[in-house]
Amino acid sequence: MILTVYSSRRVYTLNQQRLIASVVEPTSSLVFVNNNIELDLTWSQLRAVHPVHIQYLKNLAVEASFSVSLVCNGQLWGLLACHNMTAKYLSFETRQLCEELSQITSLHMSGLLRAEIDFQRYHYKVEFAEIRGAMQSSIDAFKAIKSQISEIKTLLNADGIWHHIDGEDYYHGQVPDELSLSLLGNWLAQFDRHQVMSRHTVVEDFKQNKALVKFASGLLFLPLNQQNFIVLFRREEIETVNWAGKPQSHNEQDMSTSALTPRNSFLTWAEVMGGQAKPWNLIDIEMAEDIRCELVRLIEKNQLEIIALKDPLTGIANRLMFERKLKSALQQALEANQQFAIYMIDLDRFKPVNDTYGHAVGDELLIQVTQRLQALLRCEDMVARLGGDEFAVIQLGISNKGDIERIAKLMVEEVKRPFLIEGKNIEIGASIGITICPLDAISQTELLLGADLALYEVKKSGRNGFKHFEPSMLLEKTNDESIRNQLLRAFENKELEMVYQPIIDSRSKKIVGLEAFTRWQHPVLGFIAAQEFVSAIDKNHLNPEFVDWMLMTTFSDYQQWQRQGIASIPVSINLRSDQFLSLDIENKCRALSQQYQVATTWLRIDLDEPTLAIDANRSEIKINALAQHGILCNIDHFGQGLLSLKQLTKLKVNSLKIDSRLLMDDKKNIKTQALATILKAIGEVMNVPVVATRVEKQEVMAKAKSMGINLVQGFAIIEPMSVADVSAYMTK
């Protein structure tokens, strides 16, 4: 006979002094039953049973209970429970058989679940690949994400989606009203902005908000950064659940029982469940995190591209953005049979302004010119700064030449009107060359060439005006040297020269470094600064030749100083990021070192931080490789890019160069001085000096010295000198 004994702590099943025990708490190895007969439980299997469960079995008059668990992938999937109204003994063999069957069933179900999960994961990745491709094809990350929100909603099997990005809200599907969304947005602000958050039951605080209960019982929150996020919604699903065992509140006879009130019967009862939605499964969460990471990457890439595509001084498009816009405008014009015009603009008499008043005034002049040009154009048109004092305009949707001439005339008049800068009336002019697509050409190269030729004609005829391209200009070009040939001739005939601006230690007044700049003594146009012809070098694909000339000239000049007995001093040349990354600077320097019989440890390379940050990984490899030969890099325009401190600490740099305007209080930005202090502190942490560049006034130099920035460079100290002038200065 089997005897089952229940207590609040143990359940015993006895049969001929054999004992199977389930205990709630640990027990000793010996127990006493049947008049203090000692039984050894050392080898028994002990299972925890909660007192409420024991009471539940007693309430139902159950004297034997047997259960088998089904565990799938390490988690309890289900439980098979058997009850017997009388005590019942199961042999060891029967229990082992049931255990084996449960393990086999669990393994089989685990395999089925894994196969289903793998299929869902594959389906998600295929669908998301299409969404990713569509977003990557756009140059505007925010517009790209907006265009795909309905697809993201469908992919994650949501009923609605709320997309808050760039300060605007977009919706698709079934979503709560805007007031309810505002409450929800405030609640979401408390969560981590670096991971997905999900819920399938309504938030306790929102149970009285009908809109949130109805449309937002299920939430999937994808934060993109501190301001931007995506929320997916699942509607409330009203569910009727049938439970086994009538609850205490439904049985009047048991109202006086104790606090532990397990069920008293197997009778079923129904409960209506609300405020809940279909749960987000494991694959939903995985895919949401993949989507979040992709969107974050897309936004960060877009921010870097914006920096790469904008002129850092004026904030308008640079040459790269201009070329992209021109390509798009050309395709649109040919497909829709429309016309657009290109204006190539050079400022007249700009260089004397720089030489007379300094770069700070010149920069402000460029900014004001930009503002005047933009005021003449529509929002769909583009004004770009191609480099130096060279601008370009794309005017879309023109109907006749009269409109073009009117705009060109206004541009000339606006630039001719005096500029008031630092109390001075500054007067310049503008020369403009114009081409029209498709009347003059239907290719990007020919359109730009035509505008350049028309611009050249304006300069030859006295400047300060505009001309349309004419075919005769192209015929004249075939009889004259092309710009490319002129540049190649300049390399060979030594029309280019290098000048050097010293970097001074304000404490000792000694030169601690030189920065090299290129000038072109053109046989017709006269003196031209590098910033004015560097765009022609780009357009004619002469960057390799130009960099070779700069390196060779600098090595030659340095050799001359060495032979004159001048002490070794660091000399830096300026390279753009594309020149630095695309050319083999290391081997070029090694060859020149052998040719001129000088070391390379004096050479420095100035790299612009905003462009350096675009491809920080490749830059790091090349910078550190050059450092092995003693060639160190200076980070120019430091503090104006997105180069992270982590990336910066990986670079073997020589100095950090900051614009001296950061040292002075600026009415537009009162925090500039604090920023300069931070940048100086970064230099101290990295154990590299900070150089204040563009020091155009003595008060700026005094300010730098007061802040502990002792290395300065600019017109207020010493103007750029020829190689002979450097020799004379260093030997006096």
Side-chain angles (χ1 to χ4, degrees), residues 136-313:
Q136 290 176 345
S137 63
S138 174
I139 62 173
D140 188 325
F142 294 153
K143 288 183 179 179
I145 297 172
K146 178 184 174 183
S147 69
Q148 296 299 309
I149 59 172
S150 63
E151 284 72 15
I152 293 174
K153 176 184 77 70
T154 302
L155 178 62
L156 291 172
N157 195 24
D159 297 309
I161 185 169
W162 172 26
H163 177 199
H164 179 82
I165 196 162
D166 198 23
E168 297 185 18
D169 293 302
Y170 306 97
Y171 315 101
H172 190 272
Q174 301 176 355
V175 299
D177 58 83
E178 292 189 9
L179 178 59
S180 299
L181 287 178
S182 177
L183 296 173
L184 180 61
N186 293 334
W187 180 78
L188 290 172
Q190 66 181 302
F191 290 96
D192 185 1
R193 311 299 289 192
H194 298 90
Q195 63 181 11
V196 169
M197 186 276 293
S198 66
R199 289 185 63 93
H200 67 276
T201 58
V202 72
V203 180
E204 185 69 27
D205 295 342
F206 300 147
K207 285 188 175 181
Q208 303 305 316
N209 187 304
K210 294 182 179 179
L212 291 177
V213 172
K214 182 177 180 180
F215 297 109
S217 286
L219 293 176
L220 193 55
F221 177 52
L222 283 65
L224 305 181
N225 52 35
Q226 290 300 322
Q227 294 80 32
N228 304 312
F229 58 83
I230 291 176
V231 183
L232 294 112
F233 301 103
R234 283 182 176 171
R235 288 175 56 95
E236 177 189 32
E237 292 187 355
I238 304 298
E239 182 182 11
T240 300
V241 180
N242 293 317
W243 298 97
K246 199 171 185 180
Q248 168 72 32
S249 60
H250 291 192
N251 194 326
E252 297 179 357
Q253 295 180 354
D254 294 330
M255 292 295 289
S256 60
T257 57
S258 62
L260 293 178
T261 56
R263 306 290 185 252
N264 294 317
S265 74
F266 281 125
L267 295 177
T268 61
W269 59 282
E271 183 178 11
V272 178
M273 306 286 289
Q276 60 183 9
K278 179 183 177 182
W280 311 93
N281 60 35
L282 173 65
I283 307 303
D284 293 331
I285 306 300
E286 282 184 7
M287 202 63 234
E289 184 58 36
D290 287 347
I291 292 172
R292 191 194 74 83
C293 291
E294 177 64 22
L295 298 186
V296 169
R297 188 198 65 79
L298 190 65
I299 292 173
E300 291 177 347
K301 179 184 177 183
N302 184 74
Q303 291 173 336
L304 288 174
E305 285 187 345
I306 289 174
I307 293 175
L309 296 174
K310 283 193 174 182
D311 175 55
L313 175 65

Side-chain angles (χ1 to χ4, degrees), residues 1-6 11-16 18-20 34 63 87-89:
M1 178 178 178
I2 300 173
L3 173 64
T4 303
V5 180
Y6 296 99
V11 180
Y12 301 107
T13 302
L14 294 158
N15 184 5
Q16 298 178 352
R18 294 184 62 182
L19 176 66
I20 302 172
N34 290 358
E63 295 200 8
K88 186 176 181 64
Y89 172 76

Side-chain angles (χ1 to χ4, degrees), residues 398-576:
I398 61 173
S399 57
N400 55 70
K401 284 190 175 182
D403 291 339
I404 297 173
E405 292 182 356
R406 181 179 60 83
I407 291 296
K409 184 178 180 180
L410 287 173
M411 289 180 181
V412 172
E413 291 175 352
E414 279 297 302
V415 175
K416 187 178 179 180
R417 189 161 53 87
F419 295 85
L420 181 61
I421 302 176
E422 295 187 358
K424 306 174 183 68
N425 278 322
I426 297 175
E427 295 184 5
I428 59 172
S431 298
I432 304 176
I434 306 168
T435 51
I436 304 172
C437 175
L439 297 181
D440 298 324
I442 58 172
S443 76
Q444 186 170 332
T445 302
E446 292 176 346
L447 286 167
L448 294 176
L449 175 61
D452 279 335
L453 290 173
L455 174 61
Y456 185 66
E457 288 295 320
V458 177
K459 289 184 175 181
K460 285 200 306 182
S461 61
R463 303 177 183 258
N464 200 35
F466 65 90
K467 281 185 181 295
H468 290 275
F469 167 76
E470 297 176 1
S472 59
M473 298 175 184
L474 192 58
L475 293 175
E476 291 177 11
K477 176 183 179 295
T478 60
N479 297 324
D480 297 331
E481 287 186 293
S482 68
I483 295 295
R484 178 180 176 85
N485 288 337
Q486 291 181 53
L487 286 166
L488 290 173
R489 186 196 64 201
F491 294 144
E492 296 174 1
N493 295 351
K494 298 183 179 180
E495 294 174 12
L496 299 179
E497 66 171 330
M498 197 75 85
V499 294
Y500 299 90
Q501 186 171 51
I503 299 172
I504 301 293
D505 188 327
S506 60
R507 296 166 296 185
S508 64
K509 308 300 182 184
K510 292 183 178 180
I511 295 178
V512 296
L514 297 169
E515 182 175 352
F517 297 96
T518 306
R519 290 177 177 175
W520 182 7
Q521 188 61 43
H522 193 280
V524 177
L525 301 177
F527 173 81
I528 306 175
Q531 62 183 7
E532 298 182 42
F533 65 81
V534 69
S535 59
I537 289 175
D538 278 338
K539 287 189 288 188
N540 289 279
H541 310 291
L542 291 176
N543 275 311
E545 290 83 355
F546 182 54
V547 173
D548 285 346
W549 177 87
M550 283 196 298
L551 287 171
M552 182 183 67
T553 302
T554 308
F555 269 86
S556 176
D557 291 347
Y558 185 82
Q559 182 194 55
Q560 179 178 329
W561 295 327
Q562 289 288 287
R563 289 175 176 176
Q564 294 170 348
I566 296 175
S568 178
I569 187 171
V571 182
S572 65
I573 63 171
N574 285 274
L575 293 181
R576 294 201 317 272

